[in-house]
Amino acid sequence: MVIFGWRQYAHRLAVLTLVCASCGNPAAHMLRKLVTKFTLFFVPLIPLSTKHSLQCTWCGAESKLTKQQATELAGRAQTENVHSGQPADPSWHGQPPRNY
């Protein structure tokens, strides 16, 4: 008897303050990597797919990212935390913050 299947693992890469493309609010966004692995007898062996996403903590909207975009955002979050501790520049979405 052979037991096999797959399992998904979510890894939080960074938390960034950006302007949401969906709701337009400057809010924290979770940068995540989702890895699907083949399992044999409940032991994860081979990664089958890797996906990156950015989720707004304000409205819950999620957008897919390429590996290059995720790497760039993770690097930017790391340098900002090390150097200044300032929130991220919200202009990467190309949208100005809303004035209320």
Side-chain angles (χ1 to χ4, degrees), residues 56-73:
C56 176
T57 59
W58 183 264
C59 68
E62 189 170 348
S63 58
K64 305 289 182 203
L65 299 175
T66 64
K67 182 178 180 179
Q68 180 182 359
Q69 290 172 326
T71 305
E72 180 183 318
L73 285 173

Side-chain angles (χ1 to χ4, degrees), residues 39-68:
T39 61
L40 183 62
F41 293 105
F42 306 106
V43 176
L45 296 176
I46 303 168
L48 298 175
S49 71
T50 302
K51 299 176 184 176
H52 294 86
S53 67
L54 191 65
Q55 185 177 21
C56 176
T57 59
W58 183 264
C59 68
E62 189 170 348
S63 58
K64 305 289 182 203
L65 299 175
T66 64
K67 182 178 180 179
Q68 180 182 359

Side-chain angles (χ1 to χ4, degrees), residues 4-5 8 22 30 45 50 56 61 70-71 85-86 91 93 99:
F4 65 93
Q8 293 183 336
S22 180
M30 297 272 291
L45 296 176
T50 302
C56 176
T71 305
Q86 296 292 328
S91 65
H93 277 295
N99 294 326

